C-alpha cells in the first residue's frame, strides 16, 4: 500500500496545516529510512507514516523557535528537550526498528 499525505495527516491536529507537497517530500525520506532499517513488509506502511510524522513533528516544533527554556510569572522551565525524548512518533519508530528491523546495520556472521 502506498502511503499518502492524507494517511500521514490522519486526524492529528498539528499536521493539518502542512501542505501535501511538504508531507510528500518527507515521505520520500521516510520511505528510504524504513527501507534502510530493514523493517518487515507488514510494517512498512505503518512505520513510513510514523517516521514521516516524526519529521513533520520536528518541523512543527521548530516553527516555535526550538525553545530551550521559558519563564512565566516566576515559574521557569529549562531543557524542554521536545524533540529527543518526547517525540512519540520517533519513540514508536525506534521501538519498531529495535524489535523488528536491523537498523541499517547489516553484517555477516560466520563460524569456523
Amino acid at each position: 500500500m502506498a502511503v499518502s499525505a492524507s494517511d500521514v495527516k490522519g486526524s492529528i491536529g498539528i499536521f493539518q496545516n502542512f501542505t501535501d507537497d511538504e508531507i510528500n517530500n518527507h515521505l520520500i525520506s521516510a520511505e528510504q529510512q524504513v527501507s534502510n532499517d530493514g523493517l518487515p513488509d507488514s510494517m512498512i506502511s505503518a512505520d513510513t507514516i510514523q517516521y514521516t510524522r516524526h519529521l513533520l513533528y520536528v518541523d512543527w516544533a521548530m516553527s516555535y523557535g526550538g525553545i530551550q527554556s521559558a519563564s512565566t510569572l516566576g515559574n521557569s522551565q529549562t531543557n524542554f528537550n521536545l524533540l529527543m525524548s518526547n517525540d512519540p512518533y520517533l519513540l514508536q519508530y525506534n521501538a519498531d526498528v529495535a524489535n523488528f528491523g536491523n537498523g541499517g546495520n547489516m553484517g555477516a556472521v560466520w563460524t569456523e
Side-chain angles (χ1 to χ4, degrees):
M1 171 186 122
V3 176
S4 69
S6 178
D7 295 330
V8 173
K9 286 182 181 181
S11 62
I12 302 169
I14 63 173
F15 301 138
Q16 301 309 310
N17 291 327
F18 284 97
T19 67
D20 286 358
D21 285 342
E22 290 170 316
I23 293 170
N24 288 330
N25 286 334
H26 283 316
L27 267 169
I28 293 167
S29 297
E31 288 167 349
Q32 291 174 342
Q33 185 67 50
V34 170
S35 175
N36 187 57
D37 286 337
L39 288 157
D41 291 345
S42 62
M43 300 181 78
I44 288 175
S45 292
D47 280 311
T48 298
I49 291 169
Q50 285 294 92
Y51 200 80
T52 305
R53 286 178 176 172
H54 154 66
L55 296 172
L56 292 170
Y57 186 75
V58 171
D59 287 350
W60 173 79
M62 295 312 293
S63 73
Y64 291 96
I67 297 170
Q68 292 297 313
S69 64
S71 181
T72 306
L73 301 173
N75 295 318
S76 58
Q77 293 178 311
T78 58
N79 299 325
F80 280 34
N81 206 2
L82 180 65
L83 301 177
M84 299 304 282
S85 62
N86 295 321
D87 179 343
Y89 310 105
L90 183 59
L91 292 171
Q92 181 60 55
Y93 180 80
N94 286 339
D96 286 350
V97 170
N99 290 322
F100 306 106
N102 63 33
N105 297 320
M106 299 186 74
V109 176
W110 63 90
T111 60
E112 292 184 26

